[in-house]
Amino acid sequence: MYPRIRPALDDIPAYTPGKALSGLVKLSSNENPFPPLPGVLERATTAAANLHRYPDLAATELTAELARHLSVPAETIAVGTGSVGVLQQIVQSVAQLGDEVVYPWRSFEAYPIVTRIAGATQLEVPLTAESALDLPAMADAVTERTKLVVVCSPNNPTGPAVRRAEFLEFLGRVPQDVLVVLDEAYVEFVRDPGVVNGLDLFAAHPNLCLLRTFSKAYGLAGLRVGYAVAHPPVAAAIRKCAVPFGVSTIAQLAAIESLHSQDAMHARVNAVIDERTRVRSGLIEQGWRVPETEANFVWLPLAERTGEFAAACQRSGLLVRPYAPDGCRITIGDSPENDLFLRVAAQWRSTEVAA
């Protein structure tokens, strides 16, 4: 006989990472195609000499650097193991059995996982026909049992971002005792000036919490550093739910060094955005319906043919991320990788049309 496990865990879906197979081009995990920023690898390597020491529990230096970089008080910062780790801390800090968490769907696949681990009830609000968040419907879904609403902008895996005006209207409809998390994991890739930037609204909204990461634009996916910006009582609660010493010394110092390389980071992001524009335009020219995207990926709403397309890509030496039965997400890679994807997509499209 084995020990008794919580029954609530029986049907919680496992997080499914993008595939990685030797010899295949990997466009399945929204990784940055560039290596670490200048100086990052050197500082991380130096820090490895002290692996026998515990990291700074409070991530004091990183917190101070983030506070300066974002122009917010240090007490509003909570650091954790990637944005998904911080998200789990956030859910644990506000939601429990009997509470509700509202989020869009399809969106980041960790949302239902962390909600159900906390024992809360998930309320999934469908996207619009344009694969964008339906904020009026999300506001309508809020009840007296709702403790948390998660807004993903740009939305992963579909790409559209929330506009400032609609987000302000949404905030006005959500009760002030309900925490609103604006998940901005891809904020550095946004170029539409009408898209909301949480920092512009943070000070005026005590129930607003921002969620960001070093995994995407800064290229530190392998080190797991994320952070929340929340008003002091909320940030303190988030920090209480953190795993002690979860963010390693190497990760903290690599993140600090990355913040010192803003010009290089923006140059790399701009290169990704140029490729994003080229890939989306190429797909549209081929006849695909491709939602607008402000992230480092594109979305193909393939419905029941999602698995077939992903399999065809793999046979051609390319890994994409299928989300059956909705569609495939394709990360923007370097130019040769994107060229390969466009060739595969064109071949698939021509076969479909001929059929």
Side-chain angles (χ1 to χ4, degrees), residues 57-59 62-63 66 77-87 89 211-215 223-228 238-239 241-243 245-248 251-252 255:
L57 177 67
L62 175 56
T63 297
L66 281 168
I77 303 289
V79 175
T81 54
S83 62
V84 67
V86 181
L87 173 66
Q89 295 169 225
L211 185 59
R212 297 189 175 186
T213 183
F214 283 89
S215 295
L223 288 180
R224 315 310 303 129
V225 192
Y227 61 95
I238 296 170
R239 288 192 291 268
C241 295
V243 174
F245 306 110
V247 183
S248 71
Q252 292 182 37

Side-chain angles (χ1 to χ4, degrees), residues 46-341:
T46 300
N50 291 312
L51 288 179
H52 58 300
R53 303 295 186 188
Y54 284 110
D56 175 8
L57 177 67
T60 308
E61 186 180 354
L62 175 56
T63 297
E65 289 284 349
L66 281 168
R68 284 193 288 271
H69 176 66
L70 303 172
S71 298
V72 298
E75 59 265 29
T76 65
I77 303 289
V79 175
T81 54
S83 62
V84 67
V86 181
L87 173 66
Q88 184 160 340
Q89 295 169 225
I90 292 170
V91 175
Q92 290 174 334
S93 69
V94 297
Q96 57 188 338
L97 185 64
D99 296 332
E100 295 172 345
V101 176
V102 175
Y103 54 83
W105 197 255
R106 180 171 291 271
S107 193
F108 184 35
E109 66 179 307
Y111 296 160
I113 297 172
V114 297
T115 298
R116 291 162 72 177
I117 286 175
T121 299
Q122 60 200 64
L123 291 180
E124 299 180 345
V125 179
L127 303 179
T128 69
E130 292 74 36
S131 301
L133 270 61
D134 189 340
L135 288 189
M138 290 182 65
D140 290 341
V142 174
T143 74
E144 62 182 14
R145 293 173 56 197
T146 304
K147 294 294 179 68
L148 172 65
V149 182
V150 184
V151 175
C152 191
S153 177
N155 187 49
N156 177 20
T158 61
V162 171
R163 303 190 69 78
R164 176 188 172 95
E166 64 176 334
F167 188 70
L168 276 170
E169 183 177 349
F170 169 78
L171 282 177
R173 293 190 57 196
V174 176
Q176 292 188 358
D177 62 350
V178 174
L179 184 65
V180 175
V181 172
L182 182 59
D183 186 346
E184 297 182 297
Y186 301 90
V187 66
E188 291 88 358
F189 297 94
V190 173
R191 287 299 176 267
D192 184 341
V195 168
V196 64
N197 185 310
L199 286 173
D200 297 337
L201 308 178
F202 172 71
H205 297 275
N207 66 328
L208 179 59
C209 171
L210 314 180
L211 185 59
R212 297 189 175 186
T213 183
F214 283 89
S215 295
K216 309 304 181 184
Y218 289 98
L220 296 184
L223 288 180
R224 315 310 303 129
V225 192
Y227 61 95
V229 183
H231 289 267
V234 178
I238 296 170
R239 288 192 291 268
K240 286 181 181 179
C241 295
V243 174
F245 306 110
V247 183
S248 71
T249 300
I250 292 175
Q252 292 182 37
L253 294 180
I256 291 167
E257 196 65 36
S258 296
L259 286 173
H260 296 166
S261 296
Q262 291 298 306
D263 290 344
M265 183 273 287
H266 286 298
R268 294 178 179 189
V269 167
N270 287 337
V272 171
I273 291 171
D274 288 344
E275 283 294 294
R276 177 183 78 190
T277 301
R278 183 175 75 88
V279 169
R280 183 170 183 264
S281 298
L283 290 169
I284 291 172
E285 288 174 7
Q286 293 175 12
W288 293 92
R289 182 169 67 88
V290 188
E292 293 183 358
T293 177
E294 291 289 332
N296 68 335
F297 54 82
V298 293
W299 171 255
L300 296 180
L302 288 152
E304 70 279 355
R305 304 203 68 185
T306 294
E308 295 176 43
F309 181 78
C313 288
Q314 184 167 332
R315 287 194 297 271
S316 298
L318 176 70
L319 297 172
V320 299
R321 182 66 166 85
Y323 291 88
D326 299 316
C328 278
R329 185 194 70 197
I330 302 91
T331 304
I332 301 300
D334 61 28
S335 292
E337 292 170 339
N338 298 330
D339 288 341
L340 172 60
F341 166 64

